[in-house]
Amino acid sequence: MKKNSKTIFKILGLTLSLLLSAGFTSCGDDDEPEVPEVEIVAVDVQYVASVGDAYTNFWDVQLTYTNAQGKTVTEPLTSPWSQKYHIKKADKIPTTYTFKVYAYPKQDAPQPDPDAIYSLKRTVGCVVWGTTSDGKEVLLGGNPSAQPTGGVSDGKHIIEQMSQTKKLADESIKIEL
């Protein structure tokens, strides 16, 4: 009988501790903090593209981007290029920003000197900032500090690569208004 009463007390103790722990977990504050409603009232978009001389000498470099009216524009890249614009909500803010930079094989490309060194550096990027109804700036997408990438290559490597298309940038930023 003593053994059974010890077991009963153990079971009662265990049951009591389970009930208490379940009761305490339901005592927390379940209310979510109120988040003030803010909306994006304007965006600032900036595109940057610059490529080394090997790209412009041996490839046709083209960039495609979304302009302030939401239209996709494609144009050749022959020198450092940038676009920056501010769009207000009243002007209908686009919700998708595309930025692509491709180097296509050039039909009439000169023959690279196999022993020369050529620059394959590039800086490409797109960033979209939003201004909220309470005046704050928020990053909506992209990299706000586009850094140069790539390096140098000898002419032998350029000769091997110049028949191939090079993807230098290909991004699409979607924002919610």
Side-chain angles (χ1 to χ4, degrees):
M1 183 78 167
K2 223 177 190 186
K3 193 174 186 180
N4 283 342
S5 63
K6 278 187 177 182
T7 305
I8 290 174
F9 282 118
K10 283 182 184 179
I11 292 173
L12 282 174
L14 186 60
T15 304
L16 183 61
S17 65
L18 285 172
L19 288 174
L20 285 175
S21 66
F24 286 135
T25 58
S26 65
C27 290
D29 184 11
D30 291 340
D31 296 335
E32 294 291 322
E34 264 189 49
V35 177
E37 283 291 319
V38 293
E39 65 177 329
I40 302 297
V41 296
V43 296
D44 289 288
V45 182
Q46 183 172 10
Y47 300 104
V48 176
S50 176
V51 296
D53 64 342
Y55 287 112
T56 55
N57 288 338
F58 306 117
W59 286 272
D60 285 321
V61 183
Q62 288 189 348
L63 56 91
T64 302
Y65 63 97
T66 304
N67 69 10
Q69 292 75 39
K71 305 268 189 236
T72 302
V73 178
T74 299
E75 59 186 68
L77 176 66
T78 57
S79 61
W81 173 92
S82 68
Q83 286 278 332
K84 184 175 184 176
Y85 42 85
H86 178 80
I87 310 166
K88 295 179 182 172
K89 188 169 186 176
D91 297 328
K92 192 167 189 240
I93 298 171
T95 56
T96 301
Y97 297 87
T98 299
F99 185 58
K100 299 178 181 183
V101 181
Y102 279 81
Y104 298 100
K106 190 179 267 192
Q107 296 298 328
D108 56 351
Q111 186 66 22
D113 177 349
D115 299 322
I117 301 296
Y118 297 94
S119 172
L120 290 172
K121 288 187 180 179
R122 62 189 177 271
T123 303
V124 291
C126 171
V127 64
V128 180
W129 291 93
T131 303
T132 62
S133 55
D134 62 354
K136 293 189 173 128
E137 294 252 332
V138 293
L139 178 63
L140 298 175
N143 183 354
S145 59
Q147 298 295 319
T149 58
V152 295
S153 178
D154 63 35
K156 292 175 196 151
H157 182 73
I158 298 292
I159 292 168
E160 294 170 4
Q161 298 294 313
M162 51 191 292
S163 65
Q164 300 173 7
T165 297
K166 303 286 186 188
K167 177 174 70 171
L168 307 179
D170 192 343
E171 64 181 294
S172 181
I173 298 171
K174 295 181 192 258
I175 64 171
E176 291 185 31
L177 299 176

